[in-house]
Structures are given as structure tokens and as C-alpha cells.
Amino acid sequence: MQTRAGQGVPTTEHAVVIAGGGPTGLMLAGELALAGVDVAIVERRENQDLVGSRAGGLHSRSIEVLDQRGIADRFLSEGQTAQMVSFAWIRLDTSDLPSRHNYVLALRQKHIERILAGWVEELRVPIYRGRDVTGFAQDDGGVDVALSDGTTLRAQYLVGCDGGRSLVRKAAGIEFAGWGPTISNIIAEVEVTAEPEWGLRHDAAGVHSFARLGDDGLVGVMVTEQHVGATTEPTLHDLREALVAVYGTDYGIHSPKAISRFTDMARQAAAYRERRVLLAGDAAHVHYPVGGQGLNIGLHDAVNLGWKLAQVAGGTSPESLLDTYHAERFPVAARVLRDTMAQVALLRRLDDHTKALREITSQLLGMDEPRRTFAAMMAGLDVRYDLGDGHPLVGRRMPDLDVVTADGPLRVSTLLHDARPVFINLSGLDSSDVAPWTDRVKVVDAAYAGPWELPVLGSVVAPTAVLIRPDGYVAWVADEARIGLAEALSTWFGPRARR
């Protein structure tokens, strides 16, 4: 970090500035800090406190990602696990998915953010709190980021992790294409004077619920509104009207701690990068929360982008590496939008036609192969990036195997704790081909005699060597001739070191 004065405005310099200190922004900051990048976060909240009901769980792949950084236990110690996911409220057993974490972790977003913020603090990432990004101007050398307190930050890159209404996305002129809302829900934390109808209610008007939030008398309420299109923040009066329309009473709600609105709007940024400005998380994609994938794919965006941005900002790799961020992550979010829209279609109406469709869908998902396929999809375990043909592992997550090394038994996830690429030699053959990249790539000789099993695909042929990216995805798998290793190393981790 450097501070300088320019045109009377104090300017602080960082390599990367992140707009937004939610889960995606925090995860990205951690990834960059692990790589030694000077990164800072700009966050409008004065502290990490989060008011209101937000996302409530981490899926299998997210827990695997946190395990790759050595921090999964921090989350697991505070939540509850369940070996299931759901598709349109149809429960799918995950107990036979080939993952060390074949479950969902129930943990509210406020706790997820608090734990991530603690990790980021340990990594000494500065957070400019109580401030908003109000605009930016980019040139060939970087981005000037204007803050609401009148100061300016200068960075090589700006990443918008500032939510569905992202100012960064709008200011960059990036189209947010998709579908407008057809459903509108109010969600709130309130007190009541009369005992409400607890639990979920699904009727012709939509989905509604009341739930106890703790011992302090707070009640969580969600209700589907009769009309769509409100442009202002919901009020207690709006909530009362919506409850009366559904339940015939408002149960004497009062003293709201939080009230907000969400819809089934499904939109995605047409581009995740505009020169030196990038988008991640809700700034890049929004959808209805059914299935609980939004927060999770935001974390995955961050882990995909972090190491790439670190290498470009550090001069190891060319800017073209950043183009692979959009190429890999855009299709993933596009599929989530599609799948979420399908779930809304199964939940929205309660007529005989939809009931029949739900019954047939439930029967199909009760069969082993469809269940495993959809469970892996909802858990984030089936993602395959298009990194070329060859072994089925290429482009997929590396299984967290228990391997034996010269230092004793290790889990593969342990080798990724420092967010560096790893070359695992499983054949005992010479690894000298990797030597020109050992300043960036960790080389490990290991043995593993167990099965290789991938979600959806099942058992695959054991490789003799694998090249793993910092995000845990396999960039290259050895054949007998080890063809393409040098190309894969150069593509993902920059040119060979000069001697």
C-alpha cells in the first residue's frame, strides 16, 4: 500500500481493490492475500454485522474449497450438517456422493461472513469501512476508484463484489441480461402478539413461512406478495397487508428488526470483465434463492478469479489469463439461473397440472442415477471447465485423496493450503519437466493405491501424475508420454523461469 497526493485529493494505492465485503469479496481478498497481493476491501457497513435473514448454508464444494485453505473446521464447528440437498423442495440424499464433505452445512450468512472476516484480518487485508465506491475511471495503467468520503484509491484492478445492484457493473456499462420478476416475497424478522401458523405453507398465492429465530422472541417471516413490481423498500405496512391477504391476519407483528424484499428475477452480466474491472458473486448473477446456490457460487467465483488475478497483477501471467475467468464461470452461473427458473416453475403454482409435474419429477429424482446427478449439481461437485479432451479428471475438481508422501500421509487438500499450484507425481518417474516452474509450482512425489471416483461419472482410470490449479481443478493429467505438460504449465502459470 502506498499513499500519494494528486490534484489535491489524497490517493492510496493497492494492487487490487474489491468493492463489497460480503462472502464473495472476503473470499477473494483472502485468495489474493495468500498469493502475496496488496488487496483492500471497500465496505459500506461500519462493521461486519449483518441485519436480517440471508443465505443459510454451505454446499459440499464450498466446504471443500474452504478445506483447501485450511479453514473448513472454523465453519463446521459452528453449524449443523445434513446429508441432503433439495431441488424444488424435493429432498436428495447426498450420503453416497464421493466427497469428504458430502453434506450441507446449515450456517447463517452472518456467521459465514464473521468467520471469513476473521480469516481476512489474520491475512492483514485492510478494509475501508463506512464507505461506498461512488465511481471509477480506468486507463491503460490502472483504475482510480472514488469513495464516498472524497478520497481516491488507485489500483491495477477493481473487482465489483457489490451485489445485485452493483454500482461497479453499472458504471462499467456491462449489460445485466435476463428475465424480470414474476414472484415477489417479503422476508422479515419481527415480534408478534399472536401465535402464528408455524412452518411452511404452500398455496395458490405462493410460498410462506413463520419460524422461531431464537430465545429473544424474534420471529422469521416470509410471505409471497399479491403483486409484483414494487420499486421501494418494503415497510411494516406492506408486510401486514401481505400477511392479511394470505393468512387473514397479521398476527400483531411489530418491532421489526429487518424487512427486505426478494424476487425471482434472473439476470447475468454479459461480461465478467471490462478491461481492468471485473465482477463476481451477485454483481455478476442473481436468481431466486431456492436451492441455496447463490452464496456458494459466489465463493467459487472468488476462488476461480483469485489466483488468476494474483498472477496477472504480479506479472507472472499475461492479461489474457483473466479471460478464462469469464469463460469458465459464466456457463456455471447460466446453468444455475436455468435450474433455479425450473425450480420456481415447480413451486410457483399449486394447480393440478403443477402438482402432477411435481409428482413425476419427484419420482424421477427418486431413482439413483438422476438423484446422484442432480445432487452433485446442487452441491457444486459436477462442474467441469472446458480445458480440453483427455482423462476425465481434466477440468474437474481434484478428489481430496489420502496420499502418502516423503513427509508421511497427507490429504491433497492440505497441499493447497497456500493457494499454490501443485504437481503430484504418482508414478515415481522423473519430474524434471516441471523444474522451470518450481518457483511457482509445488512438486510432490506421492503414492495412492485406492479408487479414483468422481461425482456422476463414477470410477475413472488412475492417473500417473496430475497438475492441480490453486482452485483445486485439474489442469493436466499424465499419459505415458506426458504430452502437453509444458504447454499446460505455461498456459496456467506463466512462462518458464529464465536460467
Side-chain angles (χ1 to χ4, degrees):
M1 179 177 70
Q2 294 182 336
T3 302
R4 61 182 173 84
Q7 299 181 343
V9 179
T11 299
T12 302
E13 296 184 356
H14 298 279
V16 177
V17 168
I18 298 170
T24 302
L26 290 168
M27 190 75 210
L28 178 58
E31 292 291 292
L32 290 165
L34 282 174
V37 174
D38 176 10
V39 57
I41 298 172
V42 179
E43 168 56 42
R44 70 174 54 175
R45 290 173 291 172
E46 294 286 353
N47 53 53
Q48 206 61 46
D49 292 347
L50 187 65
V51 177
S53 300
R54 300 289 179 89
L58 294 171
H59 290 171
S60 297
R61 182 54 191 160
S62 297
I63 304 169
E64 288 184 346
V65 163
L66 297 169
D67 214 359
Q68 289 174 183
R69 300 301 179 251
I71 58 175
D73 287 345
R74 304 185 188 190
F75 298 85
L76 293 170
S77 65
E78 296 201 23
Q80 294 183 321
T81 61
Q83 289 184 313
M84 56 80 66
V85 291
S86 68
F87 184 86
W89 291 4
I90 300 167
R91 294 167 66 94
L92 307 175
D93 179 23
T94 61
S95 62
D96 58 351
L97 291 182
S99 168
R100 196 179 295 271
H101 303 289
N102 54 1
Y103 47 77
V104 167
L105 178 69
L107 187 64
R108 287 291 177 186
Q109 181 171 331
K110 63 181 180 180
H111 300 303
I112 294 171
E113 285 196 17
R114 172 177 51 80
I115 297 168
L116 283 173
W119 177 53
V120 165
E121 183 178 8
E122 292 170 13
L123 296 171
R124 301 185 181 278
V125 174
I127 301 180
Y128 296 90
R129 292 198 175 277
R131 280 165 273 195
D132 280 314
V133 170
T134 58
F136 62 83
Q138 57 178 320
D139 53 46
D140 291 342
V143 189
D144 290 314
V145 184
L147 305 187
S148 54
D149 64 353
T151 60
T152 299
L153 302 178
R154 175 71 175 177
Q156 294 180 50
Y157 292 93
L158 169 66
V159 186
C161 300
D162 50 344
R165 299 175 182 175
S166 171
L167 180 142
V168 172
R169 184 190 65 241
K170 294 173 182 176
I174 297 174
E175 181 186 5
F176 207 36
W179 298 266
T182 64
I183 300 173
S184 182
N185 296 92
I186 295 179
I187 189 168
E189 294 180 0
V190 296
E191 295 181 31
V192 296
T193 57
E195 187 85 359
E197 178 184 315
W198 299 110
L200 285 168
R201 177 172 175 175
H202 190 192
D203 57 27
V207 179
H208 330 280
S209 70
F210 278 94
R212 295 180 176 88
L213 295 181
D215 298 329
D216 56 2
L218 273 181
V219 172
V221 56
M222 182 185 75
V223 61
T224 302
E225 296 184 273
Q226 301 299 300
H227 304 287
V228 177
T231 57
T232 59
E233 291 297 318
T235 64
L236 189 62
H237 176 73
D238 294 330
L239 178 57
R240 285 174 173 150
E241 281 193 339
L243 288 172
V244 169
V246 172
Y247 292 94
T249 175
D250 64 9
Y251 298 104
I253 59 169
H254 64 94
S255 306
K257 183 178 180 181
I259 303 179
S260 59
R261 176 181 281 117
F262 66 92
T263 74
D264 66 332
M265 179 175 68
R267 296 190 182 277
Q268 186 174 18
Y272 284 16
R273 177 189 172 208
E274 169 56 35
R275 296 168 61 202
R276 291 183 173 271
V277 176
L278 300 106
L279 304 174
D282 287 354
H285 39 74
V286 295
H287 56 83
Y288 200 61
V290 63
Q293 292 175 281
L295 182 152
N296 288 271
I297 64 171
L299 295 179
H300 307 168
D301 286 347
V303 175
N304 183 284
L305 175 60
W307 65 275
K308 297 173 181 177
L309 189 54
Q311 289 184 185
V312 174
T316 300
S317 296
E319 277 198 18
S320 58
L321 181 63
L322 296 178
D323 294 333
T324 68
Y325 169 59
H326 173 97
E328 292 176 1
R329 294 304 301 168
F330 185 92
V332 173
R335 186 179 67 165
V336 169
L337 263 63
R338 181 203 67 182
D339 297 340
T340 304
M341 291 168 67
Q343 293 179 75
V344 169
L346 288 167
L347 291 170
R348 182 181 176 191
R349 300 170 62 181
L350 202 64
D351 57 28
D352 291 340
H353 295 82
T354 307
K355 285 182 179 178
L357 180 59
R358 278 188 60 81
E359 288 174 3
I360 291 173
T361 304
S362 183
Q363 289 176 352
L364 288 170
L365 294 180
M367 302 174 185
D368 278 347
E369 186 173 348
R371 173 189 58 80
R372 282 194 292 263
T373 298
F374 273 69
M377 175 185 73
M378 298 302 293
L381 295 173
D382 71 333
V383 171
R384 179 187 180 273
Y385 299 136
D386 185 8
L387 306 188
D389 299 326
H391 194 283
L393 268 172
V394 175
R396 290 186 168 90
R397 54 179 270 291
M398 175 68 184
D400 187 17
L401 307 176
D402 292 296
V403 298
V404 178
T405 71
D407 297 323
L410 288 174
R411 289 166 47 192
V412 169
S413 60
T414 304
L415 299 173
L416 292 164
H417 281 185
D418 58 0
R420 289 182 59 197
V422 180
F423 178 84
I424 302 181
N425 183 5
L426 295 156
S427 64
L429 298 177
D430 180 41
S431 299
S432 60
D433 290 349
V434 191
W437 287 271
T438 51
D439 59 328
R440 286 151 274 168
V441 179
K442 185 185 306 182
V443 177
V444 178
D445 291 321
Y448 176 74
W452 289 76
E453 188 176 0
L454 300 180
V456 182
L457 295 184
S459 296
V460 297
V461 176
T464 58
V466 291
L467 179 62
I468 310 170
R469 305 188 322 185
D471 58 358
Y473 285 82
V474 177
W476 174 88
V477 173
D479 56 20
E480 292 183 2
R482 297 202 172 187
I483 295 172
L485 176 57
E487 180 182 358
L489 287 162
S490 297
T491 297
W492 297 112
F493 312 122
R496 65 181 66 218
R498 293 181 180 178
R499 300 245 175 203

